[in-house]
Amino acid sequence: MRFESTETYVATDDLAIAVNAAVTLERPLLVKGEPGTGKTELAKQVAESLGLRMIEWNIKSTTRAQQGLYEYDAVSRLRDSQLGDERVHDVSNYIRKGKLWQAFEADERVVLLIDEVDKADIEFPNDLLQELDKMEFHVYETGETIRAKHRPVVIITSNNEKELPDAFLRRCFFHYIKFPDVETMRKIVEVHHPGIKEALLTTALTQFYEIREQQGLKKKPSTSEVLDWLKLLLAEDMDPEDLKRDGSTALPKLHGALLKNEQDVHLFERLAFLARRERG
């Protein structure tokens, strides 16, 4: 099984090498990169490319590692015992299987995505070390041990919001998705907007990269945002002339697709003001 670019996803050579290395080593692939660079989409494309089913565990700030294994609903069991329900005699009726359990018990190999691991508490990654290493865990309430029938392909994403523990990093194969250069971005755009006119694409990408390189920008626009922007430009049937910015504003047309906070909008408005004053 080897991963490579698909019809709907452009994987750079180094990214494909990283995925295939993690699969060969049977280690989790830890993928970092700016938000919007396709980390979550990568897992979906790996699953499609390798012909595997994907199980997705979306991590939140309140997520605990135990939830990935299982949860024991003691409250429901107590309530049922008070009602005289026969289900209370079998504790397994009150065990909720987590995403790791689902991946471990699957009859075929699956891709397990642990998405945005850095959102959780700092201890969260360490709490999963043994389970991801040994591919098994113990269910104390039933006394059984759950072992993976087939070792899943584990892909873990992080937006770099906080540092991950060294012990966790040692067990992963790491890859940082660099922001695409212009040529790679052209290939990505062609996948999503096939047949886009060359002149429009060149003008739009020139503006896009100028915006990303602007000093003082709080949030740089991402790959997903430039794709949205181009979709709008095509829907409005704009041509390169329409994208020219006049002296009154340094903001690009339909800038709401690219700039996502008022601080960055004000930055470009100030730039236009300073440019007009210099000309005056």
Side-chain angles (χ1 to χ4, degrees):
M1 296 195 299
R2 293 196 62 78
F3 169 71
E4 52 192 26
S5 293
T6 67
E7 290 183 3
T8 56
Y9 190 88
V10 175
T12 56
D13 290 343
D14 58 342
L15 177 56
I17 288 169
V19 171
N20 291 317
V23 171
T24 300
L25 293 172
E26 295 188 331
R27 287 187 176 274
L29 173 65
L30 174 61
V31 185
K32 290 187 178 183
E34 291 180 31
T37 48
K39 299 185 296 297
T40 303
E41 184 63 25
L42 169 66
K44 297 175 182 176
Q45 296 298 329
V46 169
E48 182 178 323
S49 174
L50 301 182
L52 305 178
R53 178 166 66 92
M54 189 179 88
I55 294 175
E56 187 171 354
W57 186 14
N58 296 301
I59 307 304
K60 301 177 182 178
S61 59
T62 55
T63 303
R64 294 175 293 108
Q66 180 64 33
Q67 292 171 308
L69 307 179
Y70 69 93
E71 291 183 281
Y72 169 53
D73 191 352
V75 174
S76 292
R77 193 180 189 197
L78 175 61
R79 183 194 63 226
D80 288 349
S81 68
Q82 292 169 338
L83 296 172
D85 194 319
E86 287 298 315
R87 297 172 72 246
V88 299
H89 300 300
D90 184 355
V91 69
S92 64
N93 289 323
Y94 304 93
I95 300 290
R96 297 177 184 168
K97 297 176 182 180
K99 299 295 185 181
L100 265 74
W101 189 329
Q102 294 172 31
F104 285 6
E105 73 173 2
D107 290 327
E108 74 289 348
R109 197 176 196 188
V110 300
V111 171
L112 173 63
L113 168 63
I114 304 177
D115 202 22
E116 299 190 324
V117 69
D118 52 327
K119 278 188 175 180
D121 182 87
I122 189 63
E123 289 304 318
F124 177 89
N126 278 340
D127 291 343
L128 287 176
L129 286 181
Q130 185 169 325
E131 288 76 16
L132 291 176
D133 246 2
K134 294 187 175 182
M135 285 287 145
E136 66 178 45
F137 62 89
H138 188 69
V139 183
Y140 295 97
E141 289 76 8
T142 63
E144 61 184 323
T145 297
I146 306 300
R147 294 184 178 87
K149 294 180 182 178
H150 305 276
R151 193 177 189 98
V153 176
V154 181
I155 297 178
I156 304 170
T157 72
S158 168
N159 286 328
N160 246 354
E161 291 182 9
K162 61 169 72 90
E163 287 297 315
L164 298 172
D166 287 346
F168 180 76
L169 295 175
R170 281 198 302 272
R171 288 165 168 81
C172 297
F173 191 93
F174 172 75
H175 183 75
Y176 184 87
I177 297 183
K178 293 180 288 189
F179 195 82
D181 58 24
V182 177
E183 284 311 306
T184 303
M185 186 64 81
R186 283 177 174 274
K187 294 176 184 175
I188 293 171
V189 171
E190 182 60 32
V191 164
H192 292 270
H193 304 297
I196 187 170
K197 291 179 180 176
E198 177 63 28
L200 175 64
L201 179 59
T202 298
T203 303
L205 289 185
T206 299
Q207 279 194 21
F208 172 71
Y209 280 95
E210 285 174 354
I211 291 168
R212 273 189 59 87
E213 291 164 11
Q214 178 59 53
Q215 293 293 317
L217 206 60
K218 185 177 180 182
K219 182 196 176 302
K220 294 181 179 182
S222 67
T223 305
S224 62
E225 286 157 344
V226 73
L227 292 174
D228 286 346
W229 185 49
L230 288 167
K231 184 176 181 179
L232 287 173
L233 298 182
L234 291 169
E236 296 292 329
D237 198 24
M238 291 191 174
D239 58 36
E241 286 296 312
D242 296 323
L243 294 186
K244 286 187 177 177
R245 292 174 279 191
D246 56 38
S248 63
T249 178
L251 290 166
K253 294 291 193 298
L254 299 167
H255 65 268
L258 298 175
L259 303 175
K260 298 302 176 73
N261 62 68
E262 63 277 10
Q263 179 178 316
D264 290 342
V265 173
H266 292 159
L267 171 64
F268 281 92
E269 289 173 340
R270 286 197 302 274
L271 290 172
F273 172 76
L274 293 171
R276 288 197 303 273
R277 195 165 68 177
E278 285 179 8
R279 286 197 300 269

